[in-house]
Amino acid sequence: MDNFPAIEEVDDLDLIPDEELEETYMERIAGLKEMFPSPVRTGSSHLLGATKSSSLWLYNFVREAIWITTTSAIILALPLAIEVTQIQAQDDLKKARNEKLFEAKV
């Protein structure tokens, strides 16, 4: 009355206890392939590809934005900073000269 006969294939690996089997991570990942249906594997593959390409795009965008910002700041702000420093140095020299002049007269 059994509609499904019990056919059991015995493999050499079935005779070895599970504790003695050593698998690599790649063998374990390949074994997971049988666990998930094809649409799930395909979807996760597309999601991983989209994530990778989005990450690369974002990395390149941020890298270019930082380059443009720093070079623009150097080109625009460095001459101004140098000029301000020179003006401050001239003012300090004038103050020092005036202090010496006024001290000598008193």
Side-chain angles (χ1 to χ4, degrees):
M1 293 220 132
D2 283 337
N3 292 337
F4 303 105
I7 299 176
E8 198 172 311
E9 295 181 18
V10 177
D11 212 0
D12 288 340
L13 292 177
D14 291 335
L15 299 175
I16 302 172
D18 290 339
E19 293 83 25
E20 295 179 12
L21 289 177
E22 291 187 21
E23 294 180 303
T24 63
Y25 287 111
M26 289 307 294
E27 289 173 340
R28 289 184 180 200
I29 291 172
L32 287 174
K33 180 180 173 183
E34 301 167 356
M35 188 174 173
F36 297 105
S38 179
V40 172
R41 290 192 314 258
T42 305
S44 62
S45 174
H46 289 303
L47 180 64
L48 183 64
T51 302
K52 180 183 174 185
S53 64
S54 297
S55 298
L56 287 174
W57 177 85
L58 183 63
Y59 168 75
N60 287 327
F61 176 77
V62 169
R63 187 183 70 184
E64 290 177 11
I66 289 173
W67 172 254
I68 290 170
T69 304
T70 54
T71 54
S72 298
I74 289 171
I75 291 171
L76 297 174
L78 191 60
L80 179 65
I82 291 171
E83 193 66 31
V84 168
T85 305
Q86 286 177 349
I87 291 172
Q88 287 175 348
Q90 287 175 356
D91 288 344
D92 290 342
L93 285 175
K94 284 181 185 177
K95 285 180 185 177
R97 200 176 319 139
N98 286 340
E99 288 175 3
K100 287 182 180 180
L101 286 174
F102 291 132
E103 288 176 5
K105 289 183 179 179
V106 175

